[in-house]
Amino acid sequence: AIGPELTQYGVPNPLANPTLELHDGTGALIGSNDNWVATIIGGIITRDQVTDIRNSGYAPSNELESAIVATLPPGNYTAIVRGVNNTTGVALVEVYDFD
């Protein structure tokens, strides 16, 4: 979930501090992150992810942005981006397949 990084591309009103939630096809929360350099253990996230995010080649440039690395079975998923403390702004969600 990218927010602050968007400033360099001229995007107005970027979300200053995005959080990211990942939900499965039933709507259940299966993972979340706030500030990619600090892993939130729970659901599908069972260990620290900082090294995996760095090694992916897609680590956000700003520590306030959020990221999750997950191996998921085929299915439908929903990513929800929110601003910390109910702040608003423009954000970008990116999804990559690391085969």
Side-chain angles (χ1 to χ4, degrees), residues 22 30 44 49 68-74 77:
L22 182 61
I30 60 171
I44 61 169
Q49 295 199 320
I68 295 171
V69 174
T71 300
L72 302 170
Y77 298 90

Side-chain angles (χ1 to χ4, degrees), residues 18-62:
T19 64
L20 176 62
E21 295 179 352
L22 182 61
H23 295 260
D24 68 13
T26 69
L29 178 65
I30 60 171
S32 64
N33 182 257
D34 176 25
N35 302 341
W36 73 270
V37 295
T39 300
I40 298 173
I41 303 294
I44 61 169
I45 303 170
T46 59
R47 64 183 182 84
D48 186 75
Q49 295 199 320
V50 174
T51 299
D52 292 338
I53 293 167
R54 279 194 179 110
N55 291 341
S56 74
Y58 297 101
S61 65
N62 189 301

